[in-house]
Amino acid sequence: MRIDIISIFPELFGPTLSGSMLGIAERKGIVEFHVHDLRDWAEGKHRTTDDYSFGGGPGMVMKPEPFFRAHAEILAQDLRPATTILMCPQGELLKQPLVEELATCSRLVIFVGRYEGYDDRIRTLADREVSIGDYVLTGGELPAMVLTDAVTRLLPGVLGHDASATEESFSWGLLEYPHFTRPASFEGLDVPDVLLSGDHARIAAWRRTEAIRRTAMRRPDLFETADLNDEEREFARSLLEDLKRSDDR
Ligand code: ADE
């Protein structure tokens, strides 16, 4: 996959993209990151990328021309079909199914805005608009890094263990089961016996049950779309009923 990011602060991306798993993924040739300075497509001595808002009001707006020029030039650098994503708080919320969908693309081009927002015509270049949550950041740089990280780690060969991505939080539509490592006993806190049993079927069943229990306690809303069989759904329902009863007490 090739990921192009267009921002007025390209230097913010360095350590995130070159360190840890993302850097390893790029060095292995699984992904290519290209971070561009939007100002390279701006005009004038000051290479201005923002301007006043027509109609008045506070705050500056990102000008359309630099994004249009940058987009055309960057698309032409590689013939693979690209999905263009505009980071903004008004976009579709980034959740794991969207991350999984984006991980199947061969190219992503990510627009990163600052100031009050984008001239609305810039949106015509985007296939999707994506938000990382219902809060407003000073710019789309951190959201672009979040999206890039979430997508890259799903690319085949990036995670050390292929099962890591399929057994984690959200991939079953549930929160993840609890994990433990050595020592088996620590300050009076013991690892559940079943995990030391070596019985893989029992361990898998325990993990599934605990993932459902944790989801019931923390994110019961996820049950609406979780992938559960009839027995598991009944178990989730009884857990929620118990929780409600203890809340009422
Ligand atoms: N830019 C500013 N806030 C944002 C958010 N929550 N998601 C995506 N882009 C943003």
Side-chain angles (χ1 to χ4, degrees):
M1 174 184 278
R2 169 173 170 149
I3 302 181
D4 289 271
I5 298 171
I6 311 171
S7 157
I8 58 166
F9 292 117
E11 66 279 7
L12 294 182
F13 291 86
T16 302
L17 301 185
S18 62
S20 189
M21 297 303 280
L22 304 195
I24 294 170
E26 185 163 37
R27 288 190 287 281
K28 280 192 189 167
I30 297 169
V31 64
E32 266 173 65
F33 301 120
H34 297 266
V35 184
H36 308 274
D37 187 347
L38 180 66
R39 289 186 199 283
D40 291 346
W41 288 275
E43 284 182 329
K45 198 168 88 190
H46 300 292
R47 304 202 299 157
T48 308
T49 54
D50 64 324
D51 208 338
Y52 297 101
S53 181
F54 275 132
M60 302 293 276
V61 175
M62 301 208 74
K63 289 166 69 58
E65 311 93 306
F67 273 111
F68 274 75
R69 287 190 210 112
H71 191 240
E73 215 173 285
I74 289 165
L75 285 185
Q77 289 173 5
D78 189 308
L79 294 180
R80 283 175 281 185
T83 298
T84 299
I85 299 169
L86 182 144
M87 303 309 302
C88 72
Q90 305 171 12
E92 176 183 359
L93 269 187
L94 185 65
K95 295 191 180 179
Q96 199 64 16
L98 175 56
V99 174
E100 285 165 14
E101 189 184 333
L102 296 176
T104 65
C105 297
S106 49
R107 247 196 114 178
L108 300 178
V109 177
I110 306 177
F111 286 6
V112 177
R114 282 255 148 188
Y115 315 109
E116 288 303 294
Y118 302 86
D119 179 292
D120 222 62
R121 290 165 290 190
I122 297 170
R123 298 182 195 281
T124 63
L125 300 174
D127 299 300
R128 322 191 70 127
E129 299 187 17
V130 176
S131 164
I132 63 159
D134 288 339
Y135 40 82
V136 181
L137 299 164
T138 53
E141 284 79 7
L142 290 169
M145 289 185 227
V146 167
L147 185 145
T148 301
D149 184 291
V151 167
T152 303
R153 63 187 288 287
L154 292 189
L155 300 178
V158 173
L159 293 185
H161 198 277
D162 275 349
S164 305
T166 51
E167 283 200 9
E168 66 192 1
S169 282
F170 302 116
S171 63
W172 290 336
L174 297 171
L175 296 185
E176 204 172 344
Y177 50 79
H179 290 278
F180 297 91
T181 184
R182 288 183 287 184
S185 184
F186 174 68
E187 304 219 338
L189 301 170
D190 293 339
V191 173
D193 283 339
V194 56
L195 296 179
L196 311 176
S197 68
D199 180 338
H200 297 298
R202 266 183 70 218
I203 292 171
W206 180 88
R207 287 180 164 167
R208 188 87 188 163
T209 303
E210 294 309 310
I212 294 170
R213 195 187 311 280
R214 196 152 267 198
T215 305
M217 309 268 295
R218 300 181 183 202
R219 289 292 306 277
D221 57 296
L222 296 178
F223 287 136
E224 280 169 32
T225 48
D227 188 11
L228 299 183
N229 63 32
D230 289 348
E231 194 185 332
E232 289 170 336
R233 204 154 277 289
E234 178 52 30
F235 176 53
R237 204 192 50 72
S238 72
L239 285 174
L240 292 178
E241 228 163 63
D242 290 350
L243 284 169
K244 187 168 178 313
R245 232 177 280 129
S246 57
D247 269 358
D248 291 345
R249 250 188 259 128

